[in-house]
Amino acid sequence: MRIDLLTLFPEMFPPVLASSIVGRAADAGIADYHVHDIRQYAQNKHAKVDDRPFGGGPGMVLMCQPVYDAVLSVEALDARPATRIVLTPQGEPLRQKRVEWLATQERLLFIAGHYEGFDERVLEELNPLELSIGDYVLSGGELAALVIVDAVVRLLPGALGHEQSAAEDSFSTATTKGGQTLLDCPHYTRPREWRGREVPEVLLSGDHAAIAAWRDEERRKRTRERRPDLASHPASPLAPPD
Ligand code: 9D3
């Protein structure tokens, strides 16, 4: 997968993209990252890329021209068509289903603004997918782009080591028999006692059926207590099979 990232803060990307699973995926040739400075596409001599909003109000608005020229120039660097993604608080809230779809694309192009919004007309012209990573205020779209890259790249074939399994995560195949998405259960490792805290006895029992039942119950209890909003879709006896 080719991933292009367009930003006014290109220095934010390389340390993250060289680390952990996204870094290993690049080393393995599974993903390649290309960071581009939108300011390089400014046409005025002061390399100005934003301006005051028509109608007044606080903040600045990212101008159409540098964003549009950056996208078209960067897209021409490779023949593969790019799935365009703008990071914005007004975007679709990111969920794992969208991450899974993004992982099927051969090329992603992320466009991040900072402090400011985009001129609506460049969004109309580029018709990107608009994504948000949640209902809290960031100072820009860069960290949101990196979050999405991390979530997508770890799903690419070969990106995870054999020790991990994307299919066993909360929010992916955490759909159990009842059709409910569940949080993960608690985990323990050595020592068996730490600061007076014991590992639950059942985990030491060697009874694999009892362990599976305990974990399932812990997952249900945690999900009920911490995330009562999580999709609870008990299979309807009237619903057609999946
Ligand atoms: C006063 C209105 N604000 C919109 C909620 C202005 C504004 C705040 C923060 C405009 C841009 C930003 C910068 N944030 C992002 O670019 C952003 C973001 C976010 O703030 N939260 C969650 N997801 C995202 S994706 C991009």
Side-chain angles (χ1 to χ4, degrees):
M1 176 184 280
R2 177 177 172 124
I3 300 177
D4 290 287
L5 302 127
L6 280 57
T7 175
L8 293 170
F9 292 85
E11 68 277 10
M12 291 179 68
F13 292 83
V16 177
L17 296 177
S19 305
S20 187
I21 288 165
V22 296
R24 205 171 61 200
D27 295 342
I30 291 164
D32 60 312
Y33 313 118
H34 301 268
V35 180
H36 312 273
D37 187 352
I38 294 170
R39 199 174 298 282
Q40 300 296 123
Y41 297 87
Q43 279 182 343
N44 57 83
K45 68 171 180 173
H46 300 292
K48 189 175 150 65
V49 294
D50 54 14
D51 207 339
R52 298 180 307 173
F54 278 124
M60 297 288 273
V61 178
L62 206 45
M63 294 158 62
C64 291
Q65 175 271 322
V67 173
Y68 185 75
D69 289 359
V71 169
L72 290 209
S73 296
V74 166
E75 284 183 347
L77 297 174
D78 190 287
R80 287 170 282 181
T83 295
R84 298 170 175 167
I85 301 158
V86 162
L87 293 315
T88 166
Q90 284 74 47
E92 170 191 304
L94 186 70
R95 289 189 285 272
Q96 190 67 13
K97 279 284 172 241
R98 175 61 74 186
V99 172
E100 289 167 9
W101 179 81
L102 291 172
T104 69
Q105 304 299 292
E106 57 185 349
R107 185 178 181 193
L108 303 178
L109 185 150
F110 292 92
I111 310 159
H114 211 87
Y115 315 127
E116 57 240 320
F118 294 86
D119 187 310
E120 190 65 20
R121 296 167 298 180
V122 78
L123 301 179
E124 292 169 4
E125 192 71 22
L126 293 172
N127 191 31
L129 179 59
E130 296 183 36
L131 293 178
S132 161
I133 62 164
D135 294 337
Y136 41 83
V137 183
L138 300 172
S139 51
E142 290 81 7
L143 293 172
L146 286 166
V147 163
I148 300 171
V149 168
D150 185 276
V152 169
V153 167
R154 63 183 291 286
L155 297 183
L156 301 179
L160 284 188
H162 295 296
E163 72 281 0
Q164 296 167 89
S165 169
E168 287 185 8
D169 288 354
S170 287
F171 308 112
S172 66
T173 334
T175 301
T176 56
K177 298 155 226 167
Q180 184 172 18
T181 302
L182 297 171
L183 298 179
D184 204 356
C185 60
H187 300 287
Y188 302 88
T189 188
R190 295 188 290 178
R192 290 172 57 152
E193 191 213 304
W194 179 76
R195 295 175 66 93
R197 299 173 186 276
E198 303 264 11
V199 172
E201 193 66 33
V202 64
L203 298 179
L204 311 173
S205 69
D207 181 341
H208 299 297
I211 291 168
W214 180 85
R215 286 179 169 159
D216 192 62
E217 185 48 36
E218 289 296 312
R219 294 178 69 194
R220 295 178 184 284
K221 192 165 71 188
R222 272 191 164 184
T223 305
R224 201 182 325 115
E225 287 171 359
R226 301 184 184 188
R227 294 295 307 277
D229 59 300
L230 274 187
S232 179
H233 312 293
S236 164
L238 298 177
D242 288 329

